[in-house]
Amino acid sequence: MPNASVSSVEFEKAVGHFLRVAMYAPLTITNHGRASLVLMCAAEYERLKRRDRHVLIIDDFTEEDRIAVAASKVPSAAAMFDSELDT
């Protein structure tokens, strides 16, 4: 289900209503027809924050790490994600 969308003017007129809507699904607030903000419940925000990833560069790895990565094998179960590599 796509998230609901509301203009900033509509949002200002009925803040309480839209706060309740955002408790159940993300609400996109638009400004001049373009998505500007997304309002969501705190639990969903925390869930997304837990999925944050940290990016490392090659210099962050030790030589031992690099050897381990080079020697690693992709498990056959990962084949289901091959379609994500298609451009």
Side-chain angles (χ1 to χ4, degrees):
M1 171 181 174
N3 62 315
S5 179
V6 62
S7 73
S8 57
V9 172
E10 291 174 291
F11 180 78
E12 287 180 32
K13 290 179 182 177
V15 172
H17 166 74
F18 290 116
L19 291 176
R20 288 186 297 278
V21 168
M23 290 299 293
Y24 298 98
L27 175 69
T28 300
I29 302 170
T30 63
N31 191 357
H32 299 289
R34 296 181 136 185
S36 176
L37 299 167
V38 176
L39 184 65
M40 67 182 70
C41 70
E44 177 65 359
Y45 174 76
E46 291 301 326
R47 184 188 73 79
L48 292 171
K49 288 297 291 176
R50 284 192 303 272
R51 295 181 56 116
D52 274 355
R53 293 190 171 95
H54 299 281
V55 176
L56 302 174
I57 61 173
I58 195 68
D59 293 338
D60 294 328
F61 290 90
T62 65
E63 185 60 28
E64 184 178 290
D65 293 335
R66 293 178 197 150
I67 292 169
V69 169
S72 66
K73 303 287 184 219
V74 178
S76 59
M80 70 173 71
F81 301 109
D82 286 351
S83 63
E84 293 184 19
L85 298 174
D86 294 339
T87 56

